[in-house]
Amino acid sequence: MKLGVLFSGGKDSMFACWKAMQKEEVACLITVVSRNPESYMFHTPNIRLAALQAEAAGLPLVEVGTAGEKEEELIDLERALRTAREQYGIEGVVTGAILSVYQAARVQRVCRELGLWSFNPLWLADQEAYMEELIDAGFRVVIAGVFSSPFDESWLGREIDRRTLDELRAIAQKYQVTLTGEGGELETFVVDAPFFAQRIAIEEASKVYRNYNGVLRIERAGLVAK
Amino acid sequence: MILLIDLCYRDGSLSRDEFVAPVERLLCRNGVASVTRHYTAVGASDLDSADAAILCGTALMDTGYLEHPELFRWLLTFERPVLGISSGMLALAAAFGGGVDPCREIGMTDMNVLAPDPLFSGQEVFPAYTVHDYAVQVPGEFVALAASDRCVQAIRHRSLPLYGLLFHPEVRNEWIVERFSRLAGRQSP
C-alpha cells in the first residue's frame, strides 16, 4: 500500500514514518506549514526544514501552507492529501499521533472523506519503550522547543541521548509531564534517522527563550555524508 | 489467559500497533496473561486454552474481516467471556445474525448507559472514543447496554457473557477492559 506520512520534522512523525516503511511503501512526506504558532494541529518550530529532511530521506515532499485557523486548517490538510494522492498515488496516511484524540480524530475524518486509510502506529505507545527504541534505532533528535517548567534555555539544542533521557525520566516523574512531551512541553527536530542517506548538520542556530518558553531557530543547515 | 484477536487486514499489519498493541499493554499492566492471534489463524487449541477472548478494532477502511464470517462461527459455542471492540463488535453481532447500518462517528462521544450491568456499574454517562462507519443491528439474543445519540454503543448477550462495544475502551476508558478482565478471571475454572 502506498502511503503518505504527515510530517512535522519532529521525532514522532519521523519514527511513525520508519515504522510504516517496515510494513508498507512510503511514497511521500506531507507537511502543512502553519502560519499560526498556536495551531493545535500543525505547530512546530523549524517546519521549513522539513524539505531538507525529506531530501536526506530521499523522499518527495508535498508542502502546503495554512493560516492555521481552527477548522480552515483542515481544509488545507485535505488539499495536501488530495495533492499527495494525485501526484504519488497514496492510498493511506500515517501520523505520529500518540495521545492526542483531537489530532487523530481530525486526520481520521479528513482521510475518511477522501477514502484514504489512516494509520497511527504510535497510538497509545508505551512512552518508555518508544523513547528507548528511538535511540536504539539510531534516530538523532534535538530539542527544538520548550514550553513548560522546568525546562530552561540549556535544553534547547540538546540531543536526546541516554543521559538526556535519564534526565527527562526524572522530570517526567516529578513534574507530571509525559516522557515524550505529549502535553506540548517539548518540540523536537530530527537530524538523522535510520532511513536517511545523509544526515543534517546544523550550521547556525539561535535561541529565543523567556520564562520557560523557547525555541531553537535553525538559521542554516545542510546535508553531510553519514 | 485471554485470547486477543487481531482483525486487521493482515497478520503483522501496520494497524496492529494501533488497535491490538494498546489492549495487549493494558492487559499486561493489569497482570492478565494474553496471547494474540490474527483472526485468520485462530485454532482449536487457542480457543480451548482461552478463559476469554477480546476481538480488537480495525482502521475505518479495513473491513476485510467481514468477508470471512466462517472464521467467527466459534463465537456461537465459545460460552466464555468475549469483548468485541468496534470492528470486533460488528464481527460478534454478525456471528449471531446482526446486520449493520451506516453510522459514522469519529472522536469523543457521550455514552448513555441504558441497562444495569457489572461492566458499566456506577456510570450513567461517560465520554468515549469512537472510530466507526457502521452501527450494529442488535441481534435478538442481545440487549443494548449503552447508546450515543446516534446509535447503540454497547450490547450484551441475554444469557452468555458476550459483550460488544462500538467505542474504543482502550482510549481513555481502560477501566472497562479492567472490569472485563476481572469478569473473565471470575469465570476461569
Side-chain angles (χ1 to χ4, degrees):
Chain A
M1 192 185 305
K2 284 189 173 183
L3 301 175
V5 177
L6 270 185
F7 183 70
S8 69
K11 63 179 170 42
D12 302 338
S13 58
M14 202 74 86
F15 194 74
C17 179
W18 186 62
K19 295 279 260 188
M21 283 173 161
Q22 292 166 44
K23 308 275 186 181
E24 306 287 350
E25 179 190 351
V26 172
C28 66
L29 304 175
I30 303 162
T31 296
V32 181
V33 180
S34 178
R35 291 193 292 279
N36 176 9
E38 305 300 324
S39 164
Y40 285 114
M41 284 293 289
F42 304 117
H43 169 225
T44 187
N46 302 305
I47 191 70
R48 292 283 176 196
L49 288 170
L52 193 64
Q53 291 168 313
E55 193 181 339
L59 287 166
L61 177 70
V62 172
E63 190 178 86
V64 302
T66 182
E69 302 300 332
K70 204 165 183 182
E71 296 307 324
E72 280 178 25
E73 63 188 359
L74 296 180
I75 296 168
D76 296 319
L77 171 64
E78 185 178 325
R79 182 161 52 91
L81 300 190
R82 281 185 194 280
T83 304
R85 188 170 60 183
E86 283 161 19
Q87 291 186 358
Y88 301 104
I90 65 163
E91 301 158 84
V93 173
V94 179
T95 85
I98 300 178
L99 285 174
S100 172
V101 163
Y102 180 90
Q103 288 173 326
R106 276 159 178 73
V107 175
Q108 297 262 22
R109 281 187 208 130
V110 175
C111 284
R112 191 65 195 86
E113 289 299 318
L114 297 177
L116 293 169
W117 288 64
S118 173
F119 295 103
N120 301 290
L122 297 183
W123 190 235
L124 306 179
D126 177 285
Q127 310 243 330
E128 276 278 345
Y130 163 44
M131 294 300 278
E132 292 281 350
E133 202 181 344
L134 185 79
I135 294 170
D136 286 348
F139 284 83
R140 290 189 58 206
V141 180
V142 297
I143 294 172
V146 294
F147 307 98
S148 139
S149 170
F151 297 109
D152 62 24
E153 190 173 354
S154 71
W155 283 87
L156 292 172
R158 271 182 74 168
E159 186 173 332
I160 301 182
D161 53 15
R162 295 251 165 239
R163 192 172 62 85
T164 305
L165 183 58
D166 283 343
E167 287 184 51
L168 284 173
R169 214 175 260 130
I171 287 169
Q173 279 175 357
K174 187 173 176 185
Y175 292 87
Q176 305 296 308
V177 299
T178 64
L179 194 58
T180 56
E182 262 298 282
E185 299 91 355
L186 295 172
E187 291 279 357
T188 59
F189 181 79
V190 173
V191 293
D192 198 6
F195 55 91
F196 277 16
Q198 301 172 86
R199 68 175 176 81
I200 290 168
I202 298 173
E203 292 158 357
E204 190 183 332
S206 61
K207 295 177 182 177
V208 180
Y209 182 89
R210 195 166 74 93
N211 196 25
Y212 300 110
N213 269 270
V215 292
L216 179 80
R217 280 196 188 139
I218 301 171
E219 317 282 0
R220 204 156 46 84
L223 296 177
V224 294
K226 287 173 76 167
Chain B
M1 188 273 293
I2 291 185
L3 174 62
L4 268 186
I5 301 174
D6 174 356
L7 268 59
C8 298
Y9 56 101
R10 61 176 159 80
D11 199 5
S13 73
L14 186 55
S15 283
R16 190 191 188 288
D17 286 336
E18 183 174 351
F19 293 102
V20 184
V23 185
E24 282 173 341
R25 278 192 292 274
L26 187 49
L27 293 177
C28 183
R29 266 208 309 275
N30 286 285
V32 179
S34 71
V35 61
T36 302
R37 293 282 182 271
H38 192 251
Y39 74 98
T40 57
V42 174
S45 63
D46 297 320
L47 296 173
D48 287 346
S49 56
D51 300 313
I54 297 178
L55 283 69
C56 298
T58 68
L60 282 177
M61 298 284 288
D62 189 350
T63 54
Y65 65 94
L66 287 174
E67 293 164 18
H68 302 283
E70 73 282 2
L71 297 177
F72 298 96
R73 287 211 185 98
W74 58 268
L75 285 163
L76 297 171
T77 54
F78 187 63
E79 295 191 335
R80 280 152 280 161
V82 171
L83 181 65
I85 298 173
S86 197
S87 293
M89 176 184 182
L90 267 57
L92 174 65
F96 284 86
V100 297
D101 291 316
C103 179
R104 183 174 299 165
E105 288 178 302
I106 302 173
M108 297 305 289
T109 306
D110 277 344
M111 302 294 141
N112 298 289
V113 176
L114 303 175
D117 186 90
L119 209 58
F120 299 132
S121 156
Q123 300 283 336
E124 289 178 7
V125 181
F126 60 91
Y129 185 57
T130 56
V131 185
H132 60 85
D133 268 340
Y134 297 99
V136 299
Q137 295 162 355
V138 182
E141 302 98 314
F142 283 73
V143 292
L145 290 184
S148 65
D149 59 2
R150 303 274 313 280
C151 62
V152 171
Q153 293 279 345
I155 57 173
R156 187 199 65 214
H157 193 277
R158 289 180 190 276
S159 57
L160 297 169
L162 310 178
Y163 290 91
L165 306 177
L166 200 53
F167 61 91
H168 286 264
E170 73 274 20
V171 184
R172 300 192 178 181
N173 287 295
E174 293 102 327
W175 56 275
I176 297 174
V177 179
E178 287 160 11
R179 285 185 184 188
F180 175 78
S181 303
R182 285 200 290 274
L183 180 78
R186 278 203 298 276
Q187 305 244 342
S188 297

